[in-house]
Amino acid sequence: MDEELNAYLAKVRSEHSERVYFFEQGLGAEVHWFFAQGSEALKAELYLPACTSFLIGIEASIRVTMAQIENPIQVTELDPYKILSNKLLLSAHKKGLPVKLLAFQGEDNFIEKITSTAKPSPYAEIVRIRHNLCHGNILEYVNTELGESNTFFTPECCRALALTLLNISKAWAFGLGDFRKKLNSKS
């Protein structure tokens, strides 16, 4: 009986810890809800909402943090032209935000991408995926395993991406939270 109770309590603690993870990072309510809702959507196997929530959380966290650096008193609106882009990532990098945490596994040239002056410059993967998904372009996730005449798309085709974005979001939230704590301790 004690083993069952201990297993149950461990499961409850683990679920609670997972549920409050993004709230504990010090990102602010205007940001952490995107990540929390993305996590909930992923648990519910809602892969497209999970992906877009994580992407929007990343974008919002950069935009809000940059606005707070520029105006530490109170941010009342965000510049509508500063969206997730290589340019925004470079600006954030120059301000000390840990944007390298947004690199996908194997994207060793992340900093080179955001600093590139080539026209057109290659997008950082997080930017490319944000642009595609948030504009409805899911073509790269269409399943073609059964041949060209049997292609299909279901939200499950984005399951691996949702899991990747969850892991990136967790690392990003932790790193950005640490950055924000250090920034606030200097004020």
Side-chain angles (χ1 to χ4, degrees):
M1 184 66 166
D2 285 342
E3 281 183 38
E4 280 183 35
L5 179 60
N6 288 337
Y8 173 77
L9 290 174
K11 180 183 175 210
V12 168
R13 283 186 198 104
S14 175
E15 288 173 354
H16 175 73
S17 179
E18 192 175 317
R19 194 168 34 261
V20 299
Y21 179 82
F22 290 108
F23 301 118
E24 295 176 333
Q25 303 311 313
L27 303 178
E30 63 276 13
V31 171
H32 66 231
W33 281 109
F34 290 106
F35 295 115
Q37 292 278 287
S39 294
E40 291 299 316
L42 183 55
K43 280 187 230 155
E45 298 181 356
L46 299 170
Y47 302 112
L48 293 173
C51 289
T52 55
S53 287
F54 292 136
L55 291 166
I56 294 168
I58 290 166
E59 182 169 0
S61 63
I62 296 170
R63 294 178 73 207
V64 167
T65 301
M66 293 292 287
Q68 289 171 333
I69 290 170
E70 293 167 11
N71 181 10
I73 307 291
Q74 182 177 12
V75 174
T76 57
E77 71 178 281
L78 299 174
D79 185 334
Y81 299 104
K82 292 182 179 177
I83 62 168
L84 188 58
S85 63
N86 283 6
K87 183 178 177 181
L88 181 64
L89 290 173
L90 178 58
S91 180
H93 178 63
K94 288 179 179 178
K95 294 285 186 182
L97 277 73
V99 297
K100 184 81 168 93
L101 295 172
L102 298 172
F104 276 62
Q105 186 174 359
E107 190 180 17
D108 300 327
N109 60 346
F110 180 86
I111 298 298
E112 289 80 16
K113 285 179 179 178
I114 66 172
T115 58
S116 176
T117 57
K119 299 291 181 202
S121 60
Y123 289 125
E125 188 66 2
I126 195 77
V127 172
R128 188 188 72 76
I129 288 173
R130 177 258 187 228
H131 290 349
N132 281 343
L133 282 185
C134 291
H135 292 283
N137 180 3
I138 50 85
L139 297 179
E140 73 183 272
Y141 304 102
V142 169
N143 188 316
T144 59
E145 291 176 14
L146 300 175
E148 285 185 35
S149 61
N150 291 316
T151 62
F152 66 91
F153 176 81
T154 64
E156 288 77 12
C157 295
C158 291
R159 179 185 298 129
L161 176 62
L163 291 169
T164 297
L165 289 171
L166 170 64
N167 291 331
I168 287 172
S169 294
K170 282 183 172 182
W172 169 248
F174 183 82
L176 184 62
D178 188 52
F179 171 83
R180 291 169 61 93
K181 287 172 195 148
K182 289 175 183 171
L183 187 67
N184 288 335
S185 69
K186 291 178 185 177
S187 325

